[in-house]
């Protein structure tokens, strides 16, 4: 019996677009940005920031090595946040509805620059905060590892005392879904263009 819903953020709750971020960094002069960004995973300093291996200042310093002109911290932060488009209000409303029946958690590969700026702001459109939608949140940068690493899933179960077999994990990345399934989680793949709440309504496991 499913008691818990464990949500990915980008691509499931929040709309994202990697190409926007690439264009923003290219406009700053970072011609090789395409080597570092992927739809489901990052490389180099971007991956290190997401996994909590470097500080924000260390990340910006590493990025500047790839930009031939002078740029400010704000320039870099703004370009990074271009990855995020926003959260349709209906998805927030559905989270609140689901929370009446299930315990709701988030497990996200993200970084502190995005989290403290545009992600937190996107959850405020109903006059609430991100913590008003979830019973618990684990982010990769504070956990020190990223999905699909099994350690980050174990961080969720240990921190919140939830059982994988009682938890449905929703993610847009097939590799993350497969990793969770191997650990005993119920899983639901959320393909691009679909809505998580519609898939939940259609799921026979709920």
């Amino acid at each position: 019996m499913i008691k818990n819903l464990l949500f990915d953020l980008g691509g499931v709750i929040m709309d994202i677009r990697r190409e926007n971020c690439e264009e923003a960094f290219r406009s700053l002069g970072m011609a090789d940005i395409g080597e570092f960004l992927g739809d489901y995973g990052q490389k180099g300093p971007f991956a290190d920031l997401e996994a909590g291996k470097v500080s924000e200042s260390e990340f910006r310093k590493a990025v500047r090595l790839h930009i031939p002109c002078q740029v400010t911290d704000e320039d870099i932060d703004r370009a990074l946040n271009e990855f995020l488009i926003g959260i349709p209000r209906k998805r927030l409303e559905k989270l609140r509805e689901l929370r009446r029946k299930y315990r709701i958690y988030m497990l996200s590969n993200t970084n502190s620059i995005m989290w403290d700026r545009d992600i937190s702001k996107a959850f405020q459109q109903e006059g609430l905060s991100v913590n008003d939608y979830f019973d618990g949140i684990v982010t990769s940068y504070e956990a020190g590892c990223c999905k699909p690493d099994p350690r980050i899933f174990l961080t969720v179960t240990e921190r919140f005392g939830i059982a994988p077999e009682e938890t449905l994990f929703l993610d847009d990345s097939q590799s993350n879904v497969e990793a969770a399934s191997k650990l005993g989680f119920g899983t639901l793949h959320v393909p691009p263009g679909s809505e998580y709440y519609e898939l939940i309504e259609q799921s026979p496991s709920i």
Side-chain angles (χ1 to χ4, degrees), residues 100-140:
R100 297 173 192 152
K101 185 176 180 182
Y102 304 97
R103 294 183 68 81
I104 306 295
Y105 301 92
M106 183 202 295
L107 175 57
S108 175
N109 285 354
T110 189
N111 60 72
S112 56
I113 295 175
M114 287 183 178
W115 187 264
D116 292 336
R117 180 173 160 158
D118 287 9
I119 291 175
S120 293
K121 188 184 302 182
F123 277 96
Q124 295 171 7
Q125 59 184 289
E126 291 191 307
L128 304 172
S129 74
V130 63
N131 293 314
D132 292 313
Y133 293 93
F134 301 95
D135 293 284
I137 298 170
V138 169
T139 60
S140 57

Side-chain angles (χ1 to χ4, degrees), residues 41-55:
Q42 320 310 330
K43 297 179 181 178
F46 293 84
D48 290 341
L49 182 68
E50 201 166 74
K53 295 179 179 178
V54 297
S55 66

Side-chain angles (χ1 to χ4, degrees), residues 35-161:
E35 299 177 15
F36 299 101
L37 297 183
D39 287 327
Y40 302 115
Q42 320 310 330
K43 297 179 181 178
F46 293 84
D48 290 341
L49 182 68
E50 201 166 74
K53 295 179 179 178
V54 297
S55 66
E56 293 180 6
S57 60
E58 290 169 331
F59 164 75
R60 297 183 187 109
K61 182 178 179 180
V63 167
R64 284 190 173 95
L65 296 177
H66 297 264
I67 300 176
C69 54
Q70 187 172 357
V71 294
T72 66
D73 289 353
E74 176 62 20
D75 290 333
I76 294 173
D77 292 358
R78 187 184 304 112
L80 185 61
N81 275 279
E82 283 297 313
F83 213 111
L84 311 171
I85 295 176
I87 305 176
R89 191 182 183 99
K90 187 170 183 179
R91 293 181 192 161
L92 295 178
E93 294 171 353
K94 289 295 184 178
L95 282 177
R96 289 191 289 102
E97 287 180 18
L98 288 167
R99 203 173 178 198
R100 297 173 192 152
K101 185 176 180 182
Y102 304 97
R103 294 183 68 81
I104 306 295
Y105 301 92
M106 183 202 295
L107 175 57
S108 175
N109 285 354
T110 189
N111 60 72
S112 56
I113 295 175
M114 287 183 178
W115 187 264
D116 292 336
R117 180 173 160 158
D118 287 9
I119 291 175
S120 293
K121 188 184 302 182
F123 277 96
Q124 295 171 7
Q125 59 184 289
E126 291 191 307
L128 304 172
S129 74
V130 63
N131 293 314
D132 292 313
Y133 293 93
F134 301 95
D135 293 284
I137 298 170
V138 169
T139 60
S140 57
Y141 72 88
E142 54 91 13
C145 56
C146 297
K147 295 175 292 184
D149 190 321
R151 293 177 298 169
I152 198 166
F153 292 97
L154 295 177
T155 297
V156 171
T157 57
E158 292 172 0
R159 181 174 300 178
F160 304 127

Side-chain angles (χ1 to χ4, degrees), residues 21-36:
C21 187
E22 289 186 0
E23 291 169 10
F25 274 103
R26 285 197 186 96
S27 71
L28 295 181
M30 190 172 181
D32 59 349
I33 181 62
E35 299 177 15
F36 299 101

